[in-house]
Amino acid sequence: MSLLQPKYPLKDPLPKIEDPDHLPEGARLLAIFEEQPDKYYYYFVQRGDKLLFLDVRKNTPLGLLVHQKVFPLRVLSWFPKALEAFGKPPAEGGLHAGAMMAPAEDVDGEMLAVGSTIDGYDITNFSRSTSTHYYNPASIALTWEQLYEMGLLELWKSLGEKYEKGDL
């Protein structure tokens, strides 16, 4: 049992996608971020009004590994804006000095927050647990290298713009 207790009501889990290259009916691939060819990928998959963020590891000693995190689809436009708070001074709406995590925000009924890590940022969904046995908030860690040097933030922003325009 986890020492963490949910602060917010938990949403029901969605069925796990086992093979991102063969999506189930009702799931649609929005984009793939390739971190390392033939090895590491992030799949952005839409399933209704949810974004399934799939951390995919191919060609491992255990075969294909898929870690699925669920967020409201609006995280596509919310995350880049929420990230801006880390670059602004408090007087301009930024976080107070020393803040490691922004306050959780209600994003389409799910409580999300952006936090600072040693080498980047994470997005935490406090309304979803990655375990059915204990509370473990869904979280994805994104490095500065992925976001700023490898183009993940630009991809994320382009998906957010499509979402805002109603093109998803």
Side-chain angles (χ1 to χ4, degrees):
M1 181 157 153
S2 170
L3 297 176
L4 293 175
Q5 296 300 315
K7 185 175 179 180
Y8 308 103
L10 291 179
K11 303 292 184 181
D12 291 332
L14 294 181
K16 187 174 186 237
I17 292 177
E18 301 291 338
D19 184 350
D21 295 322
H22 298 91
L23 295 175
E25 191 173 322
R28 181 169 74 111
L29 180 65
L30 300 177
I32 299 174
F33 173 76
E34 182 178 36
E35 183 176 355
Q36 186 177 356
D38 296 324
K39 282 197 159 207
Y40 307 130
Y41 302 87
Y42 293 141
Y43 283 60
F44 292 78
V45 176
Q46 179 180 0
R47 197 168 205 175
D49 63 349
K50 302 297 178 227
L51 174 73
L52 281 58
F53 186 88
L54 307 179
D55 182 346
V56 179
R57 304 297 185 224
K58 295 183 177 183
N59 302 317
T60 73
L62 298 173
L64 176 68
L65 298 175
V66 180
H67 300 280
Q68 174 176 298
K69 307 297 170 63
V70 179
F71 295 89
L73 194 59
R74 191 162 63 99
V75 74
L76 293 171
S77 62
W78 174 84
F79 171 61
K81 293 173 188 168
L83 196 58
E84 291 174 4
F86 286 92
K88 292 181 182 177
E92 294 176 18
L95 302 175
H96 65 81
M100 296 299 294
M101 181 173 267
E105 294 181 43
D106 185 323
V107 178
D108 292 345
E110 300 190 35
M111 298 305 291
L112 308 183
V114 174
S116 180
T117 66
I118 292 172
D119 64 349
Y121 300 98
D122 64 13
I123 308 168
T124 302
N125 186 342
F126 293 104
S127 298
R128 295 201 180 260
S129 180
T130 59
S131 174
T132 56
H133 305 295
Y134 56 89
Y135 178 60
N136 185 26
S139 181
I140 54 176
L142 307 169
T143 67
W144 292 314
E145 181 181 16
Q146 291 168 325
L147 289 167
Y148 299 108
E149 295 172 25
M150 298 174 73
L152 180 56
L153 185 56
E154 288 306 313
L155 172 63
W156 201 295
K157 285 179 179 179
S158 72
L159 291 171
E161 289 169 7
K162 288 179 183 178
Y163 173 81
E164 289 294 321
K165 291 179 183 175
D167 292 341
L168 295 182

